[in-house]
Amino acid sequence: MIKLLIADNHPITRKGLEVLFSAASNIKIVGSVEDGDAVLDFIKKNPVDILLTEADLPKLNGLTILRHLKNEHPEVKTIIFSGQPEEVYAINAIKAGASGYISKTVNVITINEAIMKVYEGGIHLSNELTQQLAFGNRVGKSSGSFYKKLSTREAEVLKLLTIGRKNKEISKELDINEKTVSTYKARLMRKLKVTNLVDLVNQAKLTEQL
């Protein structure tokens, strides 16, 4: 029986997943939490095989959680279950230690297949993104080419900036000092060719939508 922990800040999403897996013969939901701190606290106290988590959790975002798990609980495999564009965030999630990335638009069969594949030691990505990686080209949206040029940490900082985090909050969440956050912000401004924070955030959001 696969022990599954669900993390999402939307109660309806958590409840829907609980109902979805309630009749599963090979998957048991052992917990359902709403923020990043609760994820780490639960895993410290309970056995978990797979974490199915939203990327944009309160308190600690998905990529930060991945870094903690990689260091402290490497036996736990993580699947990011997100409404964010796969071609934008999936690669950085895998680099950070995730074993899969699922869009919230997928069907029930795909979710089950992803969990089984990851549990057996595989990596789950959509067929479209897998083809892009295999053939070295891109299909579809143009935003991915920009995000592939970012380091995992740059992507984390940019994501936190776009959801309104301040430098001090980012430094605390990512466990880096504020000066380092400013350095990453300056790099991102150069890469997005903007000169202020407002334009940086707006340009990042626009790039996601392309």
Side-chain angles (χ1 to χ4, degrees), residues 61-93:
N61 72 79
L63 292 181
T64 303
I65 291 170
L66 283 168
R67 193 163 52 251
H68 280 285
L69 293 181
K70 187 176 181 179
N71 293 329
E72 299 166 18
H73 301 279
E75 74 282 0
V76 178
K77 297 180 173 66
T78 302
I79 300 173
I80 302 295
F81 182 55
S82 180
Q84 300 291 347
E86 182 187 44
E87 66 274 15
V88 173
Y89 293 108
I91 300 303
N92 281 310

Coordinates of all heavy atoms in Angstrom, one line a residue, residues 61-93:
N61 N 7.3 27.2 -0.2 CA 6.9 26.8 -1.5 C 7.4 25.4 -1.8 O 8.2 24.9 -1.2 CB 7.3 27.8 -2.6 CG 8.8 27.8 -2.9 OD1 9.3 26.9 -3.6 ND2 9.5 28.7 -2.3
G62 N 6.9 24.9 -2.9 CA 7.2 23.5 -3.3 C 8.7 23.2 -3.5 O 9.2 22.2 -3.1
L63 N 9.4 24.2 -4.1 CA 10.8 23.9 -4.4 C 11.6 23.9 -3.1 O 12.6 23.2 -3.0 CB 11.3 25.0 -5.4 CG 10.8 24.9 -6.8 CD1 11.4 26.0 -7.7 CD2 11.0 23.6 -7.4
T64 N 11.2 24.8 -2.2 CA 11.9 24.8 -0.9 C 11.7 23.5 -0.1 O 12.6 22.9 0.5 CB 11.4 26.0 0.0 OG1 11.6 27.2 -0.7 CG2 12.1 26.1 1.3
I65 N 10.5 23.0 -0.2 CA 10.1 21.7 0.5 C 11.0 20.6 -0.1 O 11.5 19.7 0.6 CB 8.6 21.4 0.3 CG1 7.8 22.3 1.1 CG2 8.4 19.9 0.7 CD1 6.3 22.2 0.9
L66 N 11.1 20.6 -1.5 CA 12.0 19.6 -2.1 C 13.4 19.6 -1.6 O 14.0 18.5 -1.4 CB 12.0 19.9 -3.7 CG 10.7 19.5 -4.4 CD1 10.7 20.1 -5.8 CD2 10.6 18.0 -4.5
R67 N 13.9 20.8 -1.4 CA 15.3 20.9 -0.9 C 15.4 20.3 0.5 O 16.4 19.5 0.8 CB 15.8 22.3 -1.0 CG 17.3 22.5 -0.8 CD 17.8 23.8 -1.2 NE 17.0 24.9 -0.6 CZ 16.2 25.7 -1.3 NH1 16.0 25.5 -2.6 NH2 15.6 26.7 -0.6
H68 N 14.4 20.6 1.3 CA 14.4 20.0 2.7 C 14.3 18.5 2.7 O 15.1 17.8 3.4 CB 13.3 20.6 3.5 CG 13.5 22.0 4.1 ND1 14.3 22.2 5.1 CD2 13.1 23.2 3.7 CE1 14.4 23.5 5.4 NE2 13.6 24.1 4.5
L69 N 13.4 18.0 1.8 CA 13.2 16.5 1.8 C 14.4 15.8 1.2 O 14.8 14.7 1.7 CB 12.0 16.2 0.9 CG 10.6 16.7 1.5 CD1 9.5 16.3 0.5 CD2 10.4 16.1 2.9
K70 N 15.1 16.4 0.2 CA 16.3 15.8 -0.4 C 17.3 15.6 0.7 O 18.1 14.6 0.7 CB 16.8 16.7 -1.5 CG 17.9 16.1 -2.3 CD 18.3 17.0 -3.5 CE 19.4 16.4 -4.3 NZ 19.7 17.3 -5.5
N71 N 17.5 16.6 1.6 CA 18.5 16.5 2.6 C 18.1 15.7 3.8 O 18.9 15.0 4.4 CB 18.9 17.9 3.1 CG 19.5 18.8 2.0 OD1 20.2 18.2 1.2 ND2 19.3 20.1 2.0
E72 N 16.8 15.8 4.2 CA 16.4 15.2 5.5 C 15.6 13.9 5.3 O 15.6 13.1 6.2 CB 15.6 16.2 6.3 CG 16.3 17.5 6.6 CD 15.5 18.6 7.1 OE1 14.3 18.3 7.5 OE2 15.9 19.8 7.1
H73 N 14.9 13.8 4.2 CA 14.0 12.6 4.0 C 14.1 12.1 2.6 O 13.1 12.2 1.8 CB 12.5 12.9 4.4 CG 12.4 13.4 5.8 ND1 12.3 12.5 6.8 CD2 12.3 14.6 6.3 CE1 12.1 13.1 8.0 NE2 12.1 14.4 7.7
P74 N 15.3 11.7 2.1 CA 15.4 11.3 0.7 C 14.6 10.1 0.3 O 14.4 9.9 -0.9 CB 16.9 11.0 0.6 CG 17.3 10.6 2.1 CD 16.5 11.5 2.9
E75 N 14.1 9.4 1.2 CA 13.2 8.3 0.9 C 11.8 8.7 0.4 O 11.1 7.9 -0.2 CB 13.1 7.3 2.1 CG 12.2 7.8 3.2 CD 12.8 8.9 4.1 OE1 13.9 9.3 3.9 OE2 12.1 9.3 5.1
V76 N 11.4 9.9 0.7 CA 10.1 10.4 0.3 C 10.2 11.0 -1.2 O 11.0 11.8 -1.4 CB 9.6 11.5 1.2 CG1 8.2 12.0 0.7 CG2 9.5 11.0 2.6
K77 N 9.4 10.4 -2.1 CA 9.4 10.9 -3.4 C 8.3 12.0 -3.6 O 7.2 11.9 -2.9 CB 9.1 9.8 -4.4 CG 10.2 8.7 -4.4 CD 9.9 7.6 -5.4 CE 11.1 6.6 -5.5 NZ 11.3 5.9 -4.2
T78 N 8.5 13.0 -4.4 CA 7.6 14.1 -4.5 C 7.1 14.3 -5.9 O 7.8 14.3 -6.9 CB 8.2 15.4 -4.0 OG1 8.7 15.3 -2.7 CG2 7.3 16.6 -4.1
I79 N 5.8 14.5 -6.0 CA 5.1 14.8 -7.3 C 4.5 16.2 -7.1 O 3.7 16.4 -6.2 CB 4.1 13.8 -7.7 CG1 4.6 12.4 -7.9 CG2 3.4 14.3 -9.0 CD1 3.6 11.4 -8.1
I80 N 4.9 17.2 -8.0 CA 4.3 18.5 -8.0 C 2.9 18.4 -8.8 O 2.9 17.9 -9.9 CB 5.2 19.5 -8.6 CG1 6.5 19.6 -7.9 CG2 4.5 20.9 -8.6 CD1 6.5 20.1 -6.5
F81 N 1.9 18.8 -8.1 CA 0.5 18.8 -8.7 C 0.0 20.2 -8.8 O -0.4 20.8 -7.8 CB -0.4 17.9 -7.8 CG -1.8 17.7 -8.3 CD1 -2.0 17.2 -9.6 CD2 -2.9 18.0 -7.5 CE1 -3.3 17.1 -10.1 CE2 -4.2 17.9 -8.0 CZ -4.4 17.4 -9.2
S82 N 0.2 20.8 -10.0 CA 0.0 22.3 -10.0 C -0.7 22.8 -11.2 O -0.8 22.2 -12.2 CB 1.4 22.9 -10.0 OG 1.4 24.3 -10.1
G83 N -1.3 24.0 -11.0 CA -2.0 24.7 -12.1 C -1.0 25.5 -12.9 O -1.4 26.1 -13.9
Q84 N 0.3 25.6 -12.5 CA 1.3 26.4 -13.2 C 1.7 25.7 -14.4 O 1.7 24.4 -14.5 CB 2.5 26.6 -12.3 CG 2.2 27.4 -11.0 CD 1.9 28.8 -11.3 OE1 2.1 29.4 -12.4 NE2 1.3 29.5 -10.2
P85 N 2.1 26.4 -15.5 CA 2.5 25.8 -16.8 C 3.6 24.8 -16.6 O 4.7 25.1 -16.0 CB 2.9 27.0 -17.7 CG 2.2 28.1 -17.0 CD 2.2 27.9 -15.6
E86 N 3.5 23.6 -17.1 CA 4.5 22.6 -17.0 C 5.8 23.0 -17.6 O 6.9 22.8 -17.1 CB 4.0 21.2 -17.6 CG 5.0 20.1 -17.4 CD 4.6 18.9 -18.2 OE1 4.2 19.0 -19.4 OE2 4.8 17.8 -17.6
E87 N 5.7 23.6 -18.8 CA 6.9 23.9 -19.6 C 7.7 25.0 -18.9 O 8.9 25.3 -19.2 CB 6.6 24.3 -21.0 CG 5.8 25.6 -21.2 CD 4.3 25.4 -21.1 OE1 3.8 24.3 -20.6 OE2 3.5 26.3 -21.4
V88 N 7.1 25.7 -17.9 CA 7.7 26.8 -17.2 C 8.4 26.3 -16.0 O 9.6 26.6 -15.7 CB 6.7 27.9 -16.8 CG1 7.4 28.9 -15.9 CG2 6.2 28.6 -18.1
Y89 N 7.8 25.4 -15.2 CA 8.3 25.0 -13.9 C 8.7 23.6 -13.7 O 9.4 23.3 -12.7 CB 7.2 25.3 -12.8 CG 6.9 26.8 -12.7 CD1 5.8 27.4 -13.1 CD2 7.9 27.7 -12.1 CE1 5.5 28.8 -13.0 CE2 7.7 29.0 -12.0 CZ 6.5 29.6 -12.5 OH 6.3 30.9 -12.4
A90 N 8.3 22.7 -14.6 CA 8.6 21.3 -14.4 C 10.1 21.0 -14.3 O 10.5 20.2 -13.5 CB 7.9 20.5 -15.5
I91 N 10.8 21.5 -15.3 CA 12.3 21.2 -15.3 C 13.0 21.6 -14.0 O 13.8 20.9 -13.5 CB 12.9 21.9 -16.5 CG1 12.3 21.5 -17.8 CG2 14.4 21.6 -16.6 CD1 12.3 20.0 -18.0
N92 N 12.7 22.8 -13.5 CA 13.3 23.3 -12.3 C 12.8 22.4 -11.1 O 13.6 22.2 -10.2 CB 13.0 24.8 -12.0 CG 13.9 25.7 -12.9 OD1 15.1 25.5 -12.9 ND2 13.3 26.6 -13.6
A93 N 11.6 22.0 -11.2 CA 11.1 21.1 -10.1 C 11.9 19.8 -10.1 O 12.3 19.3 -9.0 CB 9.6 20.8 -10.2

